[in-house]
Amino acid sequence: MKYVTEFRDGVLAAKVAGRVAAEVEPGRDYAFMEFCGGHTHAIARHGIADLLPPNVRMVHGPGCPVCVLPVGRIDMATELALRRGVVLATYGDVMRVPASDTLSLMGAKARGADVHMVYSPADALALALARPQREVVFLAVGFETTAPATAVLIRQAAAEGVPNISVLCNHVLTPPAIAQMVEPATAHGELASLLPDAPKARLDGFVGPAHVSIVIGSKPYEPFARDHHKPVVIAGFEPLDVMQAVLMLVRQVNQGRAEVENEFTRAVTRDGNPVAQRVMAEVLETRSRFEWRGLGELPASGLQIRPEYAAFDAERRYGLTYRAVADHPQCDCGAILRGLKQPVDCKLFANVCTPQTPMGSCMVSSEGACAAHYSYGRFRDIAVVAG
């Protein structure tokens, strides 16, 4: 298949790995964060880390949309489903994320809540049209990749006069989170004690997200590279995409450059998708602050529904108030999302926490670092951790 098989060629991968090994400087350590969970999954699945020299380290970032959804936002959804009697629709992975008292939306469904797994916002709208006597709430999550589809849902519901649907909007933005990886996090109230100093991982550059960049383009990363002097290379999800991006990052570091480069030229442009950007701008606006799991409250890092579409905003319709809630005290998901720890550093990993019995969000989605490590066996100290 074009654009897939040729990017999984083992011979070519070995050649690129040879170039990386030849160009890294002896005595120098390189640390690159793959921001996107899709890249984390690809690195684990294809054993990319095993092809890199020992002094090139890949650091997992907070680019899994299910993983960064904080406990308090799941609690808002379970309240709607259990105590407000709404029909709650959301994506499959979101249903399994543990929230307060380890209660997930799947657990709420077992207790009698009307929770539905959907594949797209259009499915949620179809559910509302099929059940006009019930209130349907779509729990929307994701980065800029999925935000346009949520905006289309709201715009379509308004145009067609569908009164029984609303959206609990949890869309987050990529550039502010990337900047946070090299800036101290800010936390307030109860959360401040959980992240007192928000330490940073040592990073030399970033593998930029693929799907997000198709929507927003490469231009939004340019101020970050300039102001923080950290190179960004946008990469596709295939093994050779990631390997080539690492080689490009190594070259930038060696040359003292900090630029935005685009490896994924077959899908990403500098300006992105203007149609998707317009529908997002029409329906959604930037929140002043939004809490990310493990990162704390980040300024201008989330999206909310514009006042013109307030009738479809579940937070307004049901008078919901967000409350920050601490993660499981033994779960290291927050530190893993900040790149400070590896999954095997968590005492729960592959012990009581598995994809079948997740204790934290990083073990739920296939894009989560813990799930990727568990599923593809890229952990060598598991006997020590489990024992």
Side-chain angles (χ1 to χ4, degrees):
M1 182 183 295
K2 190 176 183 182
Y3 293 146
V4 174
T5 54
E6 57 263 62
F7 285 89
R8 296 181 180 181
D9 188 309
V11 175
L12 289 177
K15 290 181 179 179
V16 177
R19 288 305 323 154
V20 174
E23 296 193 26
V24 294
E25 297 178 357
R28 184 173 199 167
D29 292 324
Y30 302 78
F32 302 128
M33 174 175 280
E34 83 276 0
F35 180 89
C36 180
H39 288 136
T40 298
H41 181 271
I43 289 169
R45 178 183 179 186
H46 297 288
I48 291 173
D50 296 337
L51 298 176
L52 298 175
N55 59 333
V56 176
R57 182 169 57 95
M58 301 306 297
V59 180
H60 310 311
C64 163
V66 172
C67 302
V68 299
L69 190 64
V71 171
R73 303 299 292 190
I74 299 291
D75 284 352
M76 293 169 74
T78 54
E79 177 186 344
L80 287 173
L82 281 172
R83 287 180 279 278
R84 304 293 186 94
V86 308
V87 178
L88 192 95
T90 192
Y91 303 118
D93 284 348
V94 183
M95 294 176 62
R96 300 177 57 243
V97 178
S100 292
D101 301 320
T102 69
L103 179 65
S104 65
L105 286 169
M106 189 75 78
K109 182 178 177 69
R111 295 185 185 184
D114 200 348
V115 180
H116 289 252
M117 183 186 76
V118 294
Y119 292 97
S120 73
D123 291 343
L125 182 59
L127 191 62
L129 291 171
R131 307 175 81 175
Q133 76 284 3
R134 297 291 304 279
E135 290 286 326
V136 176
V137 175
F138 175 58
L139 173 58
V141 304
F143 291 88
E144 296 94 336
T145 310
T146 53
T150 299
V152 169
L153 161 65
I154 296 170
R155 189 173 67 177
Q156 184 175 353
E160 296 180 5
V162 183
N164 64 319
I165 190 167
S166 58
V167 173
L168 184 55
C169 184
N170 298 283
H171 288 294
V172 289
L173 302 173
T174 304
I178 291 182
Q180 191 64 30
M181 294 298 98
V182 293
E183 292 287 351
T186 56
H188 303 278
E190 179 184 352
L191 195 64
S193 62
L194 306 178
L195 299 169
D197 300 313
K200 300 172 291 184
R202 187 192 71 79
L203 301 172
D204 297 301
F206 291 83
V207 177
H211 290 154
V212 165
S213 301
I214 292 173
V215 175
I216 68 173
S218 62
K219 185 177 179 180
Y221 308 108
E222 293 172 2
F224 167 82
R226 180 189 66 239
D227 297 341
H228 299 284
H229 201 69
K230 299 289 183 183
V232 178
V233 176
I234 298 165
F237 289 124
E238 297 303 323
L240 282 172
D241 285 317
V242 179
M243 293 291 297
Q244 182 65 24
V246 170
L247 177 59
M248 294 166 72
L249 284 168
V250 166
R251 288 172 174 170
Q252 284 208 49
V253 171
N254 289 349
Q255 297 167 11
R257 294 186 291 118
E259 302 170 3
V260 177
E261 293 183 318
N262 181 15
E263 183 277 337
F264 199 29
T265 54
R266 62 189 187 277
V268 173
T269 65
R270 184 170 183 265
D271 294 321
N273 185 328
V275 176
Q277 293 169 20
R278 280 196 296 270
V279 71
M280 287 171 58
E282 176 189 341
V283 179
L284 306 173
E285 63 183 5
T286 304
R287 292 179 186 261
S288 59
R289 313 190 71 82
F290 192 84
E291 184 196 340
W292 295 52
R293 187 188 296 255
L295 276 69
E297 288 188 350
L298 307 187
S301 66
L303 295 173
Q304 63 187 7
I305 299 169
R306 287 187 175 275
E308 301 94 296
Y309 293 92
F312 301 95
D313 188 339
E315 292 184 60
R316 290 186 173 105
R317 180 178 292 193
Y318 298 99
L320 300 176
T321 301
Y322 178 73
R323 182 176 67 89
V325 180
D327 285 333
H328 188 289
Q330 292 182 304
C331 175
D332 282 329
C333 185
I336 292 168
L337 290 169
R338 298 198 304 277
L340 299 174
K341 289 187 176 182
Q342 295 287 329
V344 293
D345 296 326
C346 179
K347 64 178 68 175
L348 302 182
F349 177 76
N351 189 342
V352 297
C353 185
T354 70
Q356 291 72 40
T357 58
M359 300 298 293
S361 60
C362 294
M363 188 62 88
V364 174
S365 170
S366 63
E367 294 187 355
C370 294
H373 276 243
Y374 185 96
S375 298
Y376 296 106
R378 301 299 166 188
F379 47 91
R380 295 184 174 82
D381 300 324
I382 190 60
V384 176
V385 175

